Amino acid sequence: QVQLVESGGGSVQAGGSLRLSCVASGRTFSNYGMGWFRQAPGKERELVAVISRLGSTTNHADSVKGRFTISRDNAKNTVFLQMNSLKPEDTAVYYCAARPGDTLYYAQRQYAIWGRGTQVTVSA
């Protein structure tokens, strides 16, 4: 079992950039596929990006494709979300999640381990 802690959120103007980090406890981080999700006020939590346990494959939601990039550094037990060209509609609490396995996991129900989230606010 791992524990996840997100950081790097903040307030930026539209067009700006942020890099989110999610640090995992334990020595088995490389066994987990990871996902980033977000939840805006009044909306359901939605998928942002996913990455396989060794970082060999990724996928990104259409709404962020070309602007956001998920990556990981297993030596540092960390997954990142680089967010560029931010838009006001990106405003949300961003969560990382972990799922043991060898492939990508897209559904929230597939993840049992979640961080507490970090707030991202993008102003026009």
Side-chain angles (χ1 to χ4, degrees), residues 33-96:
M34 300 293 295
W36 283 100
F37 297 80
R38 67 186 182 186
Q39 187 168 25
K43 299 181 69 176
E44 297 295 319
R45 191 173 298 184
E46 64 178 355
L47 174 71
V48 176
V50 291
I51 188 167
S52 60
R53 69 182 190 90
L54 299 181
S56 56
T57 53
T58 65
N59 205 0
H60 300 76
D62 288 343
S63 60
V64 308
K65 199 167 296 182
R67 300 188 299 120
F68 292 10
T69 304
I70 189 171
S71 62
R72 67 192 296 162
D73 184 344
N74 286 351
K76 296 183 177 180
N77 275 24
T78 305
V79 62
F80 304 96
L81 185 68
Q82 179 65 49
M83 305 186 296
N84 299 325
S85 301
L86 282 160
K87 304 174 181 180
E89 49 263 48
D90 296 319
T91 295
V93 177
Y94 284 71
Y95 301 88
C96 65

